[in-house]
Amino acid sequence: MSSPRQTIPGTQQPPTPESADPPAGHPEGPHPEGPHPDGVHPGGVHPVDESRPFARILLFGIQHVLVMAATPISAIFLMSATLRLDSHLTVDLLSAAFVLSGVGSLIQSLGPWKFGPRLPFVMLPGGAPLILFLAIAEQHGLRTATGAVVLTAAFSFVVLPVFSRLLAFFPALVIGTMIVIVGVNLVKVGAVLVTGRPGEPGFGDPTNLGLGVATIGFTVVFYLLFTGILRQLAVMLGLLAGTVLAAVLGAVDLGRAAQDGLVNAPQLLPFGSPRFSLVAALPLMLYSLASMAEATGQTVINAEAVGKEIDRRTAVPKTIRGDALTSLAGGFFGLPLMVTSGENIGIVRVTGVRSRFVTAAAGIVLIVIGVLAPVTRAISVIPSAVIGGTAMVVFAVITVLGIQMLGRSDLDRHTDPFVCAVALALGLLPILIPGVYAAFPPNLRILPESGVAVGACVAVVLNLLFHHVRPCVVARAARARTESEKTGR
């Protein structure tokens, strides 16, 4: 079991932007700079803290934005369709989603004061929190739903000191299991963008399937053939190539991009003053505990991806504070909880570009997109199947990172594979079989329906039982037996 002060060792280092050569240990050869165990360049600056020429940083930042842009767009469109919002309000919310995603990305990447771990993070409106937000809005009204977001953000600040003390119970076994579940869940999200949802019109449409597979194929070809900066931009180039193919096939709706209007600033309190109800906010507050556990795993795996040693006891709370602060601000603009994004971690690993200033640049681009209406509309015309194909590759990388972390835990022991197996079985159940808990009362199925929350809880509890409680009980029984034998003599 790792100490809460123990830092996370770096994994095999990804290639740096200065070189297209593979990292040390790669079958194509070593990195030209030679190995650096701590990942620090000879000048003493870690790659995650290195600046780059502005044009290059901007290109890499745009790549992050293009890959994750579907999430805020789909989140706001889902809100609009579910709550029957008018088009003007939808545009305001979409603008706010981009601007707050940008602000959150800047906070997490630059790390002002005690907010943000100074790692390459991008923030987005959360998936599961969005569903809870919609449920609260339908039951109690939009003003109460925004009040629930504000209350939950404040709740995160209150419980954070207690949660920080529990980080010692999140070793590589627990976090690796969580990351695998997160990765599988995200791959499914990307796949649904390609296939559509079962039972809905257009499910399994051959054109969408072809676009998704073609986008993956373009990405592979670019990564195979190119070197240097072009290889690092393979994800973005694959997405753009898929969009061009979609346009040729007539699958791109250019009507939305041609609408009038140049500037669209987010509107403060779009639904009116928030209403605060602890009862209504309780489901979201309970979920925030699972979100903290997920933020723990994402912070650790992000540090792994960039090869930087971190102190979990200080870095994880900074991530959670960044999430809470951005969510607090987002609540006043009518948004659900904001969370750190998993896809940008996959992009970091695929491209080898580790600088946190890249995701800071992505944050600035997101803010610009949120303010400039034509840019927002242009991004929104990228077909979901193309974005889904890109997302599947990036999300699958996250799953691989989780597997690598599990490989560094002691899986040779009989107990560790058992803990991992049980946590994966229960955590993947609601992901692989949606609606499995639909017969439960709404308030009771909040946490079970989150595969990440279930997997994390099961892994933590079993790790505690097998590696802490059981050894203590066995040791105490052995001492008692020894003392009784001495007394018997």
Side-chain angles (χ1 to χ4, degrees):
M1 186 71 189
S2 61
S3 165
R5 295 291 300 179
Q6 182 177 343
T7 54
I8 306 300
T11 58
Q12 174 179 301
Q13 304 300 320
T16 60
E18 290 85 348
S19 170
D21 295 327
H26 192 281
E28 296 182 18
H31 193 284
E33 293 181 355
H36 297 283
D38 56 359
V40 178
H41 281 183
V45 178
H46 192 281
V48 78
D49 297 316
E50 277 192 310
S51 184
R52 295 284 187 274
F54 176 75
R56 182 175 294 188
I57 284 181
L58 185 61
L59 270 177
F60 291 137
I62 291 173
Q63 179 173 243
H64 278 273
V65 171
L66 287 176
V67 172
M68 53 72 67
T71 300
I73 292 172
S74 59
I76 299 306
F77 284 175
L78 179 60
M79 280 183 61
S80 178
T82 304
L83 303 176
R84 297 177 177 86
L85 306 178
D86 60 55
S87 58
H88 179 73
L89 187 54
T90 301
V91 172
D92 285 339
L93 290 173
L94 186 58
S95 174
F98 276 114
V99 170
L100 266 296
S101 294
V103 171
S105 301
L106 286 170
I107 291 173
Q108 300 289 21
S109 301
L110 301 181
W113 197 45
K114 295 183 179 181
F115 296 89
R118 297 188 178 184
L119 290 170
F121 266 129
V122 173
M123 290 198 66
L124 297 170
L130 171 62
I131 303 303
L132 294 175
F133 177 89
L134 294 178
I136 296 171
E138 290 181 321
Q139 293 178 13
H140 305 282
L142 278 165
R143 294 172 63 184
T144 303
T146 55
V149 172
V150 174
L151 285 175
T152 301
F155 172 76
S156 298
F157 284 113
V158 172
V159 302
L160 180 56
V162 177
F163 180 83
S164 299
R165 297 176 183 273
L166 302 177
L167 289 177
F169 299 102
F170 288 83
L173 174 66
V174 174
I175 293 178
T177 303
M178 285 173 51
I179 295 301
V180 170
I181 296 173
V182 169
V184 172
N185 190 30
L186 289 174
V187 169
K188 181 181 177 182
V189 170
V192 169
L193 290 175
V194 175
T195 65
R197 296 185 180 278
E200 295 185 357
F203 172 68
D205 180 81
T207 301
N208 289 335
L209 289 173
L211 285 174
V213 174
T215 301
I216 295 174
F218 286 136
T219 304
V220 172
V221 169
F222 292 142
Y223 200 83
L224 176 66
L225 298 181
F226 292 158
T227 59
I229 189 173
L230 289 178
R231 168 178 276 192
Q232 294 167 334
L233 292 171
V235 173
M236 183 176 72
L237 294 175
L239 186 143
L240 293 177
T243 303
V244 171
L245 176 61
V248 171
L249 296 176
V252 175
D253 180 11
L254 298 176
R256 287 178 294 176
Q259 297 176 7
D260 295 331
L262 179 62
V263 176
N264 186 72
Q267 179 184 348
L268 186 65
L269 301 177
F271 309 126
S273 301
R275 289 179 178 170
F276 300 106
S277 169
L278 286 174
V279 174
L282 185 60
L284 207 55
M285 295 168 78
L286 288 175
Y287 179 82
S288 69
L289 298 175
S291 181
M292 289 182 185
E294 187 171 351
T296 301
Q298 288 190 340
T299 302
V300 172
I301 208 67
N302 198 328
E304 293 273 357
V306 299
K308 183 175 182 179
E309 294 185 349
I310 62 170
D311 181 351
R312 280 188 289 176
R313 201 169 67 174
T314 57
V316 170
K318 288 180 179 179
T319 303
I320 295 173
R321 288 191 201 102
D323 285 359
L325 181 62
T326 308
S327 296
L328 183 64
F332 288 101
F333 286 94
L335 299 177
L337 288 180
M338 305 288 292
V339 296
T340 47
S341 163
E343 51 257 52
N344 73 289
I345 302 174
I347 297 175
V348 168
R349 193 54 181 259
V350 169
T351 64
V353 181
R354 295 181 273 175
S355 174
R356 58 190 173 93
F357 296 106
V358 169
T359 48
I364 295 174
V365 172
L366 285 166
I367 294 173
V368 171
I369 289 174
V371 175
L372 295 181
V375 180
T376 306
R377 290 193 293 265
I379 288 184
S380 68
V381 303
I382 300 176
S384 60
V386 173
I387 296 176
T390 301
M392 287 174 65
V393 175
V394 173
F395 294 160
V397 172
I398 297 173
T399 308
V400 174
L401 292 176
I403 294 172
Q404 287 180 336
M405 182 169 286
L406 284 175
R408 290 194 300 276
S409 62
D410 194 1
L411 291 179
D412 290 335
R413 292 191 297 180
H414 293 298
T415 54
D416 280 12
F418 181 79
V419 170
C420 180
V422 174
L424 286 175
L426 295 178
L428 292 175
L429 178 61
I431 296 172
L432 300 178
I433 308 178
V436 65
Y437 299 112
F440 285 56
N443 289 337
L444 291 182
R445 66 172 185 253
I446 293 170
L447 290 182
E449 286 183 341
S450 170
V452 177
V454 172
C457 291
V458 171
V460 168
V461 171
L462 292 182
N463 177 71
L464 184 66
L465 290 175
F466 281 102
H467 298 153
H468 293 267
V469 175
R470 187 174 183 273
C472 289
V473 172
V474 171
R476 188 171 300 176
R479 285 197 302 268
R481 190 182 308 112
T482 301
E483 291 176 358
S484 63
E485 290 175 353
K486 290 181 180 179
T487 304
R489 292 175 185 173

